[in-house]
Amino acid sequence: KKTGIIKSVLALFSVLIFFKFVFYKCIKLRPSFLSVHNPTLLPVASLVKKKIKTKIIYVPHELETERAGLVGLFKRITKFVERKYIYDCDGMTVVSEPIKNWYAKYYKICGIGVVPNIPINPNYKKEFLRKKLFREEFKISDNDLIFIYQGLLSKVRGLDILIKVFSSISKNKHLVIMGYGEMEDDIVKASSIQSNIHFKQAVKRDKIIDYTSSADVGLQINCEEMTLSYKYSLPNKFYEYSIGRLYLIVTSNYTEQSRIINEQKLGASVKPTFLDLKNLINNISLGVIQQTVENSEKFRSNISWVNNEDVLIDVYKEKLKLKMNL
């Protein structure tokens, strides 16, 4: 118990030292704008603004006060800090429409921009050429289907469920898990036992689409109770799968991703249970995948950062301002 208290005190002391460093660095540099990516830094940004009259742009990467792992006292403190200092912000962008609506309703503010986590599309307005990198590396037949999960290797991302599913279905359905994280050893072990499970270490960002497009189906799975931040999320992999012309499968508790998939006919939203996932994955065919991708080509071909950067530019040019309706 004493060790826990000491660690908490040291952590607080480290944060205060960091705040002091940030404050004096900003005073020295005198920036026109401060881009704040989480609520923790809003108080020091507010102090800097009062000192040198800078502008604060709040750019949270998710629904910050409802993110996974934020519980108890730390959650209450985070909520208090964000509520107190968000009104000092001059502009704000979020990553999805539901998160925008949540902030607008909860804090009674408007003028929030939406800038999704859309990567640079190397195939934008170019001929799309599907790669065969996984088939070549893992010796997978052209007649077999490749399913990919890419990103953080964590149980909360449903990887244990995916390994269980692919261990119990036809071996002509292959699972490639690409990324890094705490489950790497478990995935390597599973790949040594199951001939249709493969591990690929994370690749450089400029190579991601090449590897992604080497698969047929992109997976985003979570069978646990989800936070609002997860429900409303639109992560990089959602767009990378779409750019790579993959059939998308997400569990229905990812509500925003499911909505877009259903509206744009990008793939399937499935109940977050082992049996539903197994049945869908085991019965999916190449014909269904090809038809789905063909029908959603218009949506996929227009996904690019260049179509979204103007919103962010407008915020910094003060064409889009945060307004309070108190």
Side-chain angles (χ1 to χ4, degrees):
K1 189 174 182 180
K2 287 184 178 179
T3 302
I5 295 173
I6 292 172
K7 284 184 177 179
S8 297
V9 171
L10 288 174
L12 177 60
F13 185 65
S14 297
V15 169
L16 293 175
I17 291 175
F18 178 66
F19 277 12
K20 182 179 178 181
F21 170 80
V22 171
F23 177 80
Y24 283 107
K25 191 73 172 178
C26 290
I27 298 304
K28 181 180 179 180
L29 295 175
R30 305 186 72 82
S32 300
F33 296 95
L34 287 176
S35 297
V36 181
H37 294 261
N38 61 67
T40 307
L41 285 169
L42 284 175
V44 70
S46 180
L47 287 174
V48 172
K49 179 179 180 177
K50 291 175 182 176
K51 187 74 174 177
I52 62 172
K53 308 300 181 184
T54 187
K55 305 280 187 181
I56 300 175
I57 309 299
Y58 189 30
V59 284
H61 294 178
E62 56 180 310
L63 184 44
E64 289 291 336
T65 60
E66 302 296 331
R67 67 182 187 269
L70 187 64
V71 295
L73 178 61
F74 190 46
K75 180 170 184 172
R76 292 195 294 273
I77 292 173
T78 304
K79 279 180 169 287
F80 171 79
V81 169
E82 188 176 69
R83 174 173 283 279
K84 180 175 176 62
Y85 291 100
I86 197 170
Y87 302 109
D88 289 341
C89 297
D90 301 279
M92 181 176 179
T93 67
V94 294
V95 297
S96 74
E97 200 68 32
I99 292 179
K100 170 187 171 180
N101 294 337
W102 186 93
Y103 273 105
K105 181 178 180 181
Y106 194 78
Y107 294 116
K108 296 182 173 57
I109 55 180
C110 60
I112 302 171
V114 177
V115 183
N117 289 307
I118 294 178
I120 294 173
N121 183 354
N123 301 312
Y124 186 58
K125 294 189 176 180
K126 296 179 182 177
E127 181 184 2
F128 174 73
L129 298 174
R130 184 177 294 281
K131 306 291 185 178
K132 288 192 175 185
L133 299 176
F134 292 137
R135 296 190 187 278
E136 293 168 356
E137 182 171 346
F138 300 119
K139 306 298 188 290
I140 299 173
S141 167
D142 286 346
N143 297 320
D144 293 353
L145 291 179
I146 300 177
F147 297 71
I148 185 174
Y149 166 86
Q150 61 191 46
L152 184 65
L153 308 184
S154 170
K155 286 186 178 180
V156 299
R157 303 298 177 91
L159 293 181
D160 52 342
I161 300 294
L162 286 177
I163 290 171
K164 186 179 177 182
V165 167
F166 281 86
S167 298
S168 62
I169 62 174
S170 171
K171 299 308 176 187
N172 67 350
K173 305 284 176 66
H174 293 256
L175 171 64
V176 174
I177 300 176
M178 185 172 76
Y180 62 90
E182 62 187 11
M183 280 194 70
E184 182 173 330
D185 290 343
D186 295 326
I187 295 162
V188 171
K189 182 179 179 181
S191 68
S192 69
I193 298 171
Q194 301 295 332
S195 61
N196 65 331
I197 296 178
H198 313 277
F199 170 65
K200 176 68 180 176
Q201 288 187 328
V203 299
K204 292 182 179 179
R205 178 156 295 281
D206 62 350
K207 298 295 182 184
I208 287 178
I209 300 300
D210 285 345
Y211 279 91
T212 301
S213 66
S214 299
D216 302 292
V217 179
L219 300 165
Q220 176 80 322
I221 305 301
N222 195 321
C223 295
E224 299 180 3
E225 186 176 350
M226 300 182 72
T227 64
L228 277 179
S229 188
Y230 272 166
K231 286 176 182 288
Y232 296 161
S233 67
L234 283 174
N236 286 7
K237 67 171 69 66
F238 177 86
Y239 292 105
E240 288 160 353
Y241 291 161
S242 300
I243 290 169
R245 270 62 171 185
L246 272 60
Y247 184 99
L248 276 67
I249 293 178
V250 304
T251 45
S252 56
N253 45 3
Y254 284 109
T255 54
E256 181 63 1
Q257 293 178 60
S258 294
R259 180 188 68 80
I260 296 176
I261 283 174
N262 292 331
E263 285 184 0
Q264 301 296 333
K265 298 180 173 55
L266 301 174
S269 174
V270 60
K271 291 181 181 179
T273 70
F274 168 78
L275 189 58
D276 285 290
L277 277 167
K278 179 180 176 179
N279 288 338
L280 175 60
I281 290 171
N282 207 27
N283 292 313
I284 197 168
S285 68
L286 180 59
V288 169
I289 292 170
Q290 291 176 335
Q291 187 64 54
T292 299
V293 172
E294 184 179 328
N295 291 342
S296 56
E297 176 59 25
K298 183 177 179 181
F299 174 83
R300 295 170 187 272
S301 62
N302 285 319
I303 297 174
S304 180
W305 167 248
V306 298
N307 293 328
N308 293 272
E309 61 185 359
D310 286 348
V311 176
L312 194 59
I313 291 171
D314 284 346
V315 170
Y316 284 89
K317 285 187 173 180
E318 300 182 76
K319 294 181 181 179
L320 185 60
K321 297 181 180 180
L322 201 62
K323 300 180 180 67
M324 317 303 165
N325 299 314
L326 300 178

